[in-house]
Amino acid sequence: MATGSGAAAAAADAEEKESGSRMITLTSNEGKAFVVTEASARQSATIRSMVDDGGCVDKGFPLPNVDSKTLARVIQYCDEHGNKEAHTVDERAALAKFDKDFIAELDADKAFLYDVTMAANYLHIQGLFALTTQCIADTIKGKTPEEIRTAFGIEYDLTAQDEEEIKEEDTHA
Amino acid sequence: MEVKQVEGTTAAAAAATSSWSELPADLIGQVLLRLPSLADRVRLRAVCRPWRTDAKRQAALPPPLPWFALRDGGLVDHLGAPVRRCAPILREGVTDYLAVDNLAFLVHKRVGCSLVNPLSASSSAAEETPLPQLANAVLRAMNNSMFYTVGKTKMPYVKVILSSPLDSSPDPLVAALILEGYYVAISACKRQDATGFGSVSDWTRKEIHRIPGKDYRMHIADIVFLNGRLYALTVKEGLYVFEPNSAKCDGKLFMVRRWMRLPLNVRLGDLDETFLFEVFEADLSTTPCQWRKVDSLGGHAIFLGSECTKFVCASKCVGGVQEDCIYFMHRTFDNPSREYSGSCVDPLGDSGVYNMTNRRITPLLPEAVVAKLYLKRQFLTWFFPADV
């Protein structure tokens, strides 16, 4: 694979990424640049199609919808899944363990889970998106609407008419 | 590190004030897809207005996990939790009932019958759909037969099916497998015409799709509607078709062959143990049609029971309905004495989940749920709640 341009190479040094792979710069909405391997960046279908379309690989990709904290966490996921092999049983188990710990941390911080979910959706990172939406679904399972509101910090805004309809729909009240 | 300044301080501020109630509609849809239980879907829709509005706009979801119907008309969900119900299914004048998809088929004194949605909140006589034509057909079938009489045959109905949902148009057909499976009665649900009964040998003979093998007594194992036609499968694996309306047929018809073993010197029905299923698809393009063995259900699953069988889309989510699986509970014979005086009755009979891919059978329900159901001391049947 061709080595990247001067800017990317310099950034690569800064990030101490392994050589031999093209490096790609992702920029958060706060203007902070993150340099990742192409394999890591390709976890995102959005970036993958831009790279494949011969987009501005050298200039990097600005991501106006993602803040630095969220992008750093998303990249952590992409690095793990993009740069590591998953051929053997052990390798797959290690990735599954990573996913489990990764989502457990987000589960404990629902505001951050929201940001990571939105970023995974925007960047079309299939695995991460599945992981976060599953986490949201698991949070909802078995809870009453009130418990769900508490879990996500959602304000009650239903009208009396909504409540009437809900009473009709509820099978377990 | 190269740091570029992009227009974004406002975006950063917006991202920082994340609000779960503003979760985009397509994400709500993705979360709903991962909720196989109807109760959880209903509760998600009751969280806040934006979620409620977005959830209502979602395209059809895979059917939720089925529930279980008790003989007294009670319903429990897949976790053994009782389901609220406004009107008792078994009430004055109702002697028995069958679960029909998301409806209850009520059998009134003698052979009268009706359909009712047990979950409809304002469940009353007005919501009941009487089926006098079907009851008439059953009466005539009994009068015609040598073995069954109206006074002595308490429960003539074995299985009841509808050609399409009750409120659909045109008027759906209702078919009942009756008199221990030797006759089928059919009528329209609301119109006063189109009624009939018979054993399959009376059906439009020239249209019979016959599998090699002789069905001397025409004992019917199961009936199913497909595109307006009624198909009957005999215990000898013969397939018969009855065409009230000739519609173009482009669906698929499956037959499930169930293999079970039972210990020596034990009565059939007491300790049956299913160990294998074979699934065949009818090739309806040829006459007579042929059964072709299949290895998968193409993203679907089958729920098998003694009364109610259903072919559904798999949920494709954790804990949901798994594809290419056969969910079964079955009792060959009802044995009331064991049920009422025996020490325990497995409420699911011979049950499990058969995975067609690895041919393994896993338990239908977790042990804790089965323990709860044991307290009901009766055999259960499937009930398929509709997600509206």
Side-chain angles (χ1 to χ4, degrees):
Chain A
M1 188 174 288
T3 325
S5 72
D13 286 339
E15 291 287 298
E16 295 185 351
K17 290 281 172 192
E18 57 194 63
S19 56
S21 166
R22 186 157 63 158
M23 301 305 284
I24 286 173
T25 308
L26 307 175
T27 314
S28 75
N29 64 2
E30 292 139 312
K32 190 173 173 190
F34 294 82
V35 178
V36 300
T37 63
E38 181 173 344
S40 173
R42 290 181 82 85
Q43 290 291 307
S44 154
T46 309
I47 295 171
R48 186 163 65 231
S49 64
M50 286 196 286
V51 171
D52 290 345
D53 289 347
C56 43
V57 175
D58 300 344
K59 284 190 245 143
F61 299 97
L63 304 172
N65 293 336
V66 189
D67 64 36
S68 302
K69 182 189 172 200
T70 309
L71 186 55
R73 186 58 67 96
V74 168
I75 287 172
Q76 197 191 341
Y77 175 90
C78 292
D79 282 349
E80 194 71 20
H81 284 261
N83 298 340
K84 297 211 173 145
E85 307 285 339
H87 300 305
T88 68
V89 174
D90 284 351
E91 283 166 351
R92 276 197 293 273
L95 268 185
K97 164 99 173 52
F98 170 85
D99 282 357
K100 196 168 161 243
D101 296 344
F102 185 88
I103 202 65
E105 269 180 48
L106 289 180
D107 191 29
D109 182 353
K110 289 288 193 296
F112 199 22
L113 173 66
Y114 181 89
D115 294 338
V116 174
T117 306
M118 296 298 282
N121 186 33
Y122 165 65
L123 292 169
H124 290 102
I125 305 167
Q126 209 186 357
L128 180 58
F129 183 68
L131 202 60
T132 56
T133 38
Q134 186 63 50
C135 179
I136 298 169
D138 290 344
T139 305
I140 290 170
K141 276 181 195 170
K143 287 198 176 71
T144 64
E146 185 49 48
E147 288 166 342
I148 299 169
R149 279 190 284 270
T150 309
F152 292 108
I154 294 173
E155 299 220 352
Y156 180 91
D157 66 349
L158 298 168
T159 63
Q161 196 198 336
D162 291 331
E163 281 295 349
E164 273 305 302
E165 284 176 25
I166 288 163
K167 223 191 265 172
E168 291 274 298
E169 292 163 10
D170 195 355
T171 55
H172 285 62
Chain B
M1 181 186 291
E2 186 189 24
V3 175
K4 271 185 264 178
Q5 189 61 44
V6 284
E7 27 97 47
T9 36
T10 49
T17 57
S18 65
S19 170
W20 280 101
S21 64
E22 285 158 29
L23 204 61
D26 55 330
L27 289 195
I28 292 282
Q30 288 295 318
V31 172
L32 277 170
L33 280 174
R34 289 170 169 80
L35 294 174
S37 144
L38 179 60
D40 286 331
R41 293 181 190 177
V42 167
R43 284 163 181 166
L44 180 151
R45 294 184 196 120
V47 167
C48 60
R49 300 215 82 196
W51 283 24
R52 186 165 178 72
T53 318
D54 289 340
K56 280 182 178 169
R57 268 195 235 126
Q58 296 303 318
L61 294 164
L65 288 169
W67 294 342
F68 299 93
L70 304 164
R71 194 180 299 112
D72 66 0
L75 297 169
V76 292
D77 70 8
H78 65 290
L79 298 173
V83 174
R84 182 194 70 156
R85 178 170 51 74
C86 285
I89 293 180
L90 285 195
R91 55 176 177 265
E92 185 65 35
V94 176
T95 55
D96 218 325
Y97 91 104
L98 295 175
V100 179
D101 217 348
N102 65 329
L103 300 171
F105 175 84
L106 307 183
V107 182
H108 303 264
K109 280 191 180 136
R110 288 167 63 85
V111 293
C113 53
S114 59
L115 281 167
V116 69
N117 179 357
L119 291 179
S120 140
S122 48
S123 185
S124 65
E127 299 254 338
E128 214 171 301
T129 307
L131 301 166
Q133 301 298 313
L134 187 70
N136 254 331
V138 175
L139 265 180
R140 282 189 285 139
M142 286 167 101
N143 290 335
N144 258 41
S145 84
M146 291 159 64
F147 305 105
Y148 306 98
T149 48
V150 178
K152 285 183 188 157
T153 310
K154 276 187 187 140
M155 178 59 176
Y157 302 94
V158 177
K159 175 178 180 168
V160 174
I161 55 170
L162 290 173
S163 62
S164 54
L166 194 53
D167 50 6
S168 64
S169 173
D171 196 14
L173 292 167
V174 55
L177 185 58
I178 55 170
L179 307 179
E180 298 180 273
Y182 288 99
Y183 291 88
V184 174
I186 183 168
S187 88
C189 279
K190 291 157 199 163
R191 286 196 327 263
Q192 297 299 303
D193 56 338
T195 159
F197 75 92
S199 65
V200 281
S201 52
D202 302 336
W203 291 11
T204 44
R205 243 176 215 289
K206 61 180 168 33
E207 292 294 345
I208 285 172
H209 292 262
R210 185 82 189 269
I211 305 292
K214 292 200 159 71
D215 296 308
Y216 288 109
R217 293 191 63 204
M218 305 295 180
H219 191 186
I220 302 162
D222 203 359
I223 51 174
V224 66
F225 274 112
L226 181 67
N227 298 326
R229 301 173 190 212
L230 180 61
Y231 291 86
L233 175 72
T234 68
V235 292
K236 296 281 178 69
E237 301 184 358
L239 184 66
Y240 292 77
V241 63
F242 177 66
E243 296 180 82
N245 324 302
S246 330
K248 172 118 181 68
C249 185
D250 55 0
K252 288 179 174 182
L253 205 58
F254 292 96
M255 169 175 76
V256 178
R257 196 185 274 166
R258 170 170 164 260
W259 295 89
M260 55 186 201
R261 58 169 86 91
L262 66 166
L264 281 173
N265 306 323
V266 162
R267 218 160 24 144
L268 187 66
D270 281 356
L271 292 166
D272 313 342
E273 190 198 350
T274 299
F275 64 95
L276 179 72
F277 282 98
E278 289 178 292
V279 181
F280 300 84
E281 187 186 336
D283 181 355
L284 300 172
S285 61
T286 59
T287 310
C289 79
Q290 299 293 322
W291 291 116
R292 245 180 336 103
K293 195 167 174 177
V294 293
D295 302 325
S296 89
L297 300 172
H300 291 78
I302 293 176
F303 284 87
L304 277 187
S306 307
E307 296 167 6
C308 198
T309 303
K310 198 171 161 90
F311 187 70
V312 303
C313 267
S315 333
K316 298 188 176 78
C317 72
V318 181
V321 177
Q322 300 301 302
E323 64 179 359
D324 300 331
C325 281
I326 299 170
Y327 293 74
F328 65 99
M329 52 177 180
H330 191 92
R331 180 176 282 186
T332 310
F333 294 115
D334 221 15
N335 187 347
S337 65
R338 262 189 103 230
E339 199 164 321
Y340 293 115
S341 54
S343 56
C344 63
V345 169
D346 187 337
L348 305 175
D350 172 23
S351 72
V353 181
Y354 178 80
N355 187 320
M356 289 177 70
T357 313
N358 60 22
R359 299 183 180 186
R360 289 222 183 99
I361 293 178
T362 49
L364 183 58
L365 291 173
E367 229 168 86
V369 176
V370 176
K372 260 194 223 177
L373 294 177
Y374 259 91
L375 303 173
K376 310 281 183 191
R377 297 182 69 86
Q378 58 177 287
F379 185 54
L380 309 178
T381 51
W382 297 112
F383 183 86
F384 299 91
D387 186 7
V388 283

